[in-house]
Amino acid sequence: MKPSSFRSITLLFCTAIAVAKILLWLGEHSVGIDERWTGAGSGQKRNAAVTVQDRDVLHEEFNGARCAPGQEFYYRQRAFGCTPAQLERAQRSFLTDAGSALPKTSEHLFSTAWSSIGPTNIAGRIRALAVDPNTPSTLYAGSAAGGVFKSTDGGGTWRATMDALPALAIGAIACDARDPRIVYAGTGEATIPLSRAIAAPVFQGAGVARSSDGGENWTLPPWPFQPSAISRIALHPTSFDTVFAASRNGLYRSVNEGKNWTNVFTGVVTDVRYKDAAPGVVYAAVGDDLGSPSNGVYRSSAGGRPFTWSKLGRNFPAGDSTGRILLGGTPADPNVVYALVARPITSDDFLALMRSSDGGDTWERLPTDLPRDFPLGQAFYNFAIAVSPTDPSKVYVGGIEIHLSSNAGLNFVRLTFGNQSVHVDQHCFAFEPGGNVLVGNDGGIYRTSDNGSTWGSLGQTLTTAQYYRLAVHGSPSGHLLGGTQDNGTTRFSTAPDRWQIIRGDVDGGDVQSDGSTIFTLGTLSIFPFRSTNGGQTWGPMSDGITASDRKNWLQPLLYRASPSILYTATQRVYEARDPADPSKSPAWVPISPDLTTGVLPYESVISVLAGSPANRAVLYAGTGDGKIQRCDNSLSAQPTWTDVSSGLPRRWVTDIAVHNLDARRAWVSLSGYDEGHVFETTDAGGTWIDISTGLPDIPVNALVISTLNPRILFAGTDDGVWMHREGGTWERFGTGLPRVVVQDLIIDGGARLVAATHGRGIWSIDAVVGLQDRANSPLIMAIKEISPNPIRSGDAGSLHLHVDAQNPDELIVAVFDLRGRSIVSAKSIRVVPGRNILPYALPSLDPGLYFLHVRLSNISKTMKLIVLD
């Protein structure tokens, strides 16, 4: 054979192998139809994986797409000033470093623990429900921003079981009927586009978590596409191995109990379900909210493997005319399939209820009497369907309210009426074996045992409220006020120990009090309301505010005493003097020009107002488009403002804290990614110093200075609460607080630090009192090095540190793994002033990343420790 012929044959052979590999790869990552889409709207990509360049396209496509207003606020403030590449890099870093979460119990961290103070009677958004079919008293609930909750007494009491994971937004839950100890939870809320979820960790997910002990402990295997936004999980009826997860970026299949996932179908997959009694048949719904040619219902008769899917289009609406699609089925008649179909995002967004009686081969559009606006323009948000497991003609649908059909979808009866018996905004249904129906919505969980004639709340102890703002109300210090998502303005009193909704007709925004009168703003409100009788009645404070001013989702309020003035802001600052005087209706007077750049309709608003405790005339204002303005004569007839933004990144300003004794010293917190998040000035904004060292690259939402020690600053972030001691770096503060978004911080009259979380209610910590300097407390504990690092398993090393104290306490050292489990128990070691070299020996450990935690008096530090094989 000639060499050239041999080379040709070799080339052909290699080419054939390469083609085979490509086809094999495509078989694992594609669908077997022409509509292989991943994006939405124009410019879709035909790949399952979306690159950074694709994200630029997606970012622009979704920029005009509709989200719920609260989600829009979260996305816009975090994304402002960031490129899509920065968002992706920060999101990837957040999930990569997520394992650095320290243990959540005081015996691990040796510091004061956070305590939940509710609300236990006002619940927030529930996205997913599951019932243990063998033990019906065991229920699971997935919070939109607070993790998984479990009840073992039929919903009487609930407890959180997933706090150690980095992704607490839950979109789906499934409990295995054959072994109820096996529970899956899909993370990420699927109502927000992936490009936006990257900017808002509160909504993003990190894949599908699995528990093998009834939800007590969870593992989170790698997910092939980050972030995740899981809308449904389907478990194989007879095989423990096979699981499907529907997500905004495709349908994923695992054949090894969720350890690894393969993309078998691309597109915005909004639902997936097995055909009852026929596990080889799988249905999937593609329901891009913006409309897409690929939208519709698909079926695989080969277990959902790639290239086995076909679109069930006979009599079904064209994809371009549809938005979100949800599926309903029942073991009472496996051939019956319902599809609840929305229009592409519009005000009247209910399109059709479709029904198939032959397993999806043909469809009929039911002449239903469901109102066209029953989701009220929010089918991308509140939209649900469920079919009775014993009666295929009994169909529940949810939009704003709940509707029931007893004749297979032809006619519906409205069961709920505007928060009277059941909270509005329905998201999911579940059936208990006895026939009871559960529904999850923006107010928690409700149950009916009589087909919806009466309902009972299961929200007691379900601490999932999503707070925006927090304030102290009067005395004693235990009285608090807070604004919530979809639960209005709330008030907490120590006697009785309970929260109460005092203004509930709108989302609760900022809130302030002079000790007796309450001032509150609803979200997207342009003027506040006030109550002089503890929230029993309210009156508007609208005189003088220009109605055409730009509105902020969370417009700020600031109350200042001596003299009594209430401030609010649009693009300009307004003041109302003597606002608590019940004899008059205070008039608003603008005391500034437009303090923003004025060029962005959403971001060009004033996002925060702050005043100096040391000088009543000094005000600071921060804007959504990155401006800081200072006023030194706010009490004069013509206040003047100075732009002091120079030296700061152009990011959304979230908070400003002014030193208790020095009006020229202030701190600013910024949202966004990839640059500093907390800056300090000592010259009234003339210069700014980045003091973000030690903080993760995530948005900082709130700042507060310790009232007992002004050298200590606290920050509420998208990942809990952090503390900064003057001259030091940031460290996570306290134990027991879930890894949730902390939206606001205050220190009340009892020196408690109180945190408003967006998904887990209100938390407090009494350790603030312990932060006062003591004569024998170290001012500095400097870690010089860990040697060696990396270290081999079982080897000995040494910790080098410097202690600046005359009589130091004993040093406490421990080692934890990525899940926060104690690997080396806490040990007390005596240290001396000055340089210390402390030897230690590691046990035999698996190679990987660990954390060495060191605590001396009130100072604790954590360092990464890499262990080699």
Side-chain angles (χ1 to χ4, degrees):
M1 182 181 295
K2 294 181 180 180
S4 58
S5 301
F6 180 81
R7 285 195 298 270
S8 299
I9 293 174
T10 302
L11 179 61
L12 287 172
F13 180 74
C14 293
T15 302
I17 291 176
V19 170
K21 288 182 176 179
I22 292 171
L23 290 174
L24 179 63
W25 186 91
L26 287 172
E28 289 298 309
H29 293 81
S30 304
V31 298
I33 56 174
D34 289 334
E35 289 139 328
R36 301 167 188 164
W37 301 90
T38 62
S42 61
Q44 291 104 325
K45 301 291 180 284
R46 294 178 179 264
N47 294 310
V50 180
T51 65
V52 172
Q53 289 76 22
D54 295 333
R55 287 201 188 284
D56 286 307
V57 177
L58 287 174
H59 186 76
E60 291 306 316
E61 288 174 352
F62 288 131
N63 219 21
R66 184 172 177 183
C67 285
Q71 293 176 328
E72 184 80 4
F73 166 76
Y74 265 87
Y75 163 73
R76 296 296 287 257
Q77 79 165 59
R78 286 160 174 78
F80 175 70
C82 299
T83 66
Q86 286 175 315
L87 295 180
E88 178 172 296
R89 184 163 56 248
Q91 183 269 345
R92 186 168 55 245
S93 173
F94 176 80
L95 292 175
T96 300
D97 294 342
S100 64
L102 294 174
K104 297 293 186 268
T105 55
S106 56
E107 64 266 28
H108 286 167
L109 270 187
F110 330 113
S111 64
T112 309
W114 288 88
S115 298
S116 171
I117 55 176
T120 56
N121 60 314
I122 301 171
R125 186 158 77 251
I126 295 297
R127 273 287 172 195
L129 292 168
V131 180
D132 182 333
N134 297 334
T135 310
S137 59
T138 298
L139 309 175
Y140 298 92
S143 165
V148 171
F149 283 75
K150 180 180 180 179
S151 174
T152 56
D153 58 5
T157 58
W158 298 85
R159 59 186 176 84
T161 67
M162 197 187 259
D163 286 355
L165 291 191
L168 296 185
I170 305 298
I173 295 181
C175 181
D176 199 308
R178 296 154 303 164
D179 184 355
R181 295 173 299 175
I182 300 174
V183 186
Y184 291 88
T187 65
E189 191 169 7
T191 59
I192 189 168
L194 290 171
S195 62
R196 295 187 171 200
I198 290 175
V202 68
F203 299 119
Q204 75 180 15
V208 176
R210 183 181 187 275
S211 173
S212 57
D213 58 4
E216 298 300 322
N217 295 281
W218 298 85
T219 59
L220 190 60
W223 185 250
F225 180 92
Q226 298 292 357
S228 68
I230 312 294
S231 55
R232 192 82 71 210
I233 293 173
L235 306 183
H236 195 286
T238 59
S239 170
F240 284 105
D241 296 332
T242 306
V243 185
F244 281 94
S247 82
R248 283 202 71 96
N249 129 275
L251 180 63
Y252 288 84
R253 177 174 178 256
S254 173
V255 293
N256 58 3
E257 299 182 288
K259 296 182 181 68
N260 303 100
W261 295 87
T262 300
N263 180 219
V264 297
F265 194 106
T266 56
V268 179
V269 182
T270 49
D271 213 341
V272 60
R273 62 174 289 112
Y274 278 96
K275 182 177 181 180
D276 291 289
V281 178
V282 187
Y283 299 97
V286 175
D288 189 326
D289 304 302
L290 302 180
S292 168
S294 61
N295 280 3
V297 179
Y298 296 79
R299 182 179 62 195
S300 166
S301 299
R305 293 195 298 272
F307 289 107
T308 64
W309 294 89
S310 58
K311 190 173 186 179
L312 305 177
R314 190 171 178 184
N315 299 331
F316 204 88
D320 285 334
S321 69
T322 67
R324 186 177 177 191
I325 300 174
L326 299 178
L327 300 175
T330 172
D333 189 343
N335 285 319
V336 171
V337 185
Y338 289 89
L340 187 64
V341 186
R343 301 175 189 274
I345 294 173
T346 181
S347 56
D348 294 336
D349 54 351
F350 168 58
L351 177 63
L353 178 62
M354 306 298 297
R355 185 178 190 270
S356 173
S357 301
D358 53 13
D361 289 338
T362 58
W363 295 85
E364 60 174 325
R365 182 169 180 168
L366 299 176
T368 179
D369 54 3
L370 277 171
R372 287 182 57 181
D373 65 345
F374 84 88
L376 209 62
Q378 296 186 149
F380 62 92
Y381 178 70
N382 42 236
F383 209 44
I385 183 171
V387 185
S388 166
T390 59
D391 184 355
S393 64
K394 186 176 291 184
V395 183
Y396 290 85
V397 300
I400 297 296
E401 307 291 351
I402 303 171
H403 304 256
L404 170 64
S405 172
S406 299
N407 60 1
L410 295 177
N411 304 102
F412 280 85
V413 175
R414 181 175 169 182
L415 302 179
T416 59
F417 298 87
N419 288 340
Q420 294 304 307
S421 56
V422 175
H423 201 285
V424 296
D425 295 343
Q426 316 307 319
H427 301 297
C428 56
F429 292 101
F431 293 93
E432 295 179 318
N436 296 340
V437 182
L438 305 177
V439 63
N441 54 39
D442 275 13
I445 304 169
Y446 295 79
R447 174 194 279 130
T448 180
S449 56
D450 53 14
N451 297 318
S453 296
T454 59
W455 297 84
S457 171
L458 304 185
Q460 305 302 314
T461 76
L462 192 63
T463 51
T464 55
Q466 295 172 287
Y467 273 85
Y468 290 118
R469 291 290 184 263
L470 191 60
V472 177
H473 175 49
S475 184
S477 60
H479 290 211
L480 300 171
L481 300 166
T484 71
Q485 187 272 326
D486 223 43
N487 280 295
T489 301
T490 63
R491 181 181 61 194
F492 174 77
S493 300
T494 52
D497 187 7
R498 192 170 178 84
W499 289 84
Q500 175 187 8
I501 298 175
I502 56 175
R503 184 168 181 252
D505 54 338
V506 292
D507 283 11
D510 213 345
V511 58
Q512 293 278 280
S513 172
D514 71 343
S516 57
T517 303
I518 303 172
F519 311 100
T520 184
L521 273 160
T523 53
L524 283 182
S525 295
I526 203 166
F527 55 83
F529 281 72
R530 73 171 179 176
S531 174
T532 58
N533 54 15
Q536 297 178 46
T537 59
W538 296 88
M541 301 175 64
S542 56
D543 293 348
I545 292 186
T546 304
S548 59
D549 277 8
R550 290 188 289 275
K551 294 181 181 180
N552 185 6
W553 173 252
L554 288 181
Q555 187 168 309
L557 277 177
L558 173 67
Y559 177 77
R560 306 270 279 159
S562 302
S564 175
I565 303 176
L566 184 67
Y567 298 92
T568 190
T570 55
Q571 69 267 30
R572 67 188 112 235
V573 180
Y574 288 86
E575 71 169 20
R577 302 217 171 195
D578 298 320
D581 187 343
S583 66
K584 62 181 181 182
S585 177
W588 293 100
V589 176
I591 62 167
S592 82
D594 186 342
L595 298 181
T596 74
T597 63
V599 298
L600 299 169
Y602 195 97
E603 288 80 6
S604 292
V605 291
I606 294 171
S607 53
V608 61
L609 292 170
S612 165
N615 187 337
R616 297 293 176 182
V618 175
L619 291 179
Y620 287 83
T623 75
D625 54 8
K627 291 285 188 183
I628 301 289
Q629 305 270 3
R630 191 191 78 247
C631 177
D632 293 330
N633 59 344
S634 67
L635 302 178
S636 69
Q638 293 183 317
T640 56
W641 293 80
T642 303
D643 187 337
V644 292
S645 312
S646 179
L648 291 172
R650 194 177 176 212
R651 296 288 192 265
W652 185 291
V653 180
T654 55
D655 206 359
I656 301 171
V658 188
H659 195 278
N660 298 337
L661 304 175
D662 184 355
R664 295 174 59 79
R665 189 175 184 188
W667 294 264
V668 166
S669 62
L670 304 177
S671 195
Y673 303 90
D674 228 24
E675 293 196 59
H677 297 288
V678 181
F679 289 78
E680 179 183 6
T681 181
T682 57
D683 57 5
T687 56
W688 295 94
I689 301 171
D690 186 351
I691 61 165
S692 306
T693 302
L695 279 174
D697 182 19
I698 53 175
V700 173
N701 309 308
L703 297 173
V704 67
I705 304 165
S706 169
T707 54
L708 298 172
N709 186 343
R711 299 191 302 110
I712 293 172
L713 182 68
F714 297 100
T717 76
D718 275 6
D719 186 14
V721 176
W722 295 69
M723 182 190 77
H724 180 272
R725 186 183 290 270
E726 185 178 332
T729 63
W730 291 90
E731 55 186 285
R732 194 182 293 275
F733 182 67
T735 62
L737 184 68
R739 298 197 66 185
V740 290
V741 171
V742 174
Q743 194 66 6
D744 202 4
L745 287 174
I746 62 169
I747 294 180
D748 70 7
R752 293 186 310 169
L753 179 65
V754 187
T757 77
H758 197 74
R760 291 295 294 276
I762 306 296
W763 293 68
S764 70
I765 189 167
D766 295 322
V768 181
V769 239
L771 293 173
Q772 300 177 81
D773 286 330
R774 302 190 314 236
N776 64 339
S777 292
L779 298 179
I780 299 175
M781 177 181 64
I783 306 296
K784 300 300 183 183
E785 64 173 330
I786 309 172
S787 178
N789 190 17
I791 186 173
R792 295 199 175 276
S793 178
D795 283 0
S798 58
L799 172 64
H800 299 240
L801 56 86
H802 181 89
V803 175
D804 181 9
Q806 292 302 314
N807 300 298
D809 295 339
E810 288 192 339
L811 185 77
I812 300 180
V813 182
V815 177
F816 304 95
D817 67 7
L818 281 171
R819 292 183 60 191
R821 297 173 299 189
S822 177
I823 301 301
V824 176
S825 299
K827 299 183 183 301
S828 297
I829 303 173
R830 184 170 297 280
V831 293
V832 298
R835 182 176 175 82
N836 290 260
I837 300 177
L838 308 174
Y840 65 89
L842 284 180
S844 180
L845 299 176
D846 292 334
L849 179 63
Y850 294 83
F851 298 92
L852 182 70
H853 184 77
V854 179
R855 179 171 177 79
L856 186 61
S857 297
N858 290 320
I859 299 176
S860 61
K861 295 185 182 297
T862 303
M863 295 140 287
K864 292 181 180 179
L865 183 65
I866 300 172
V867 176
L868 303 177
D869 199 352

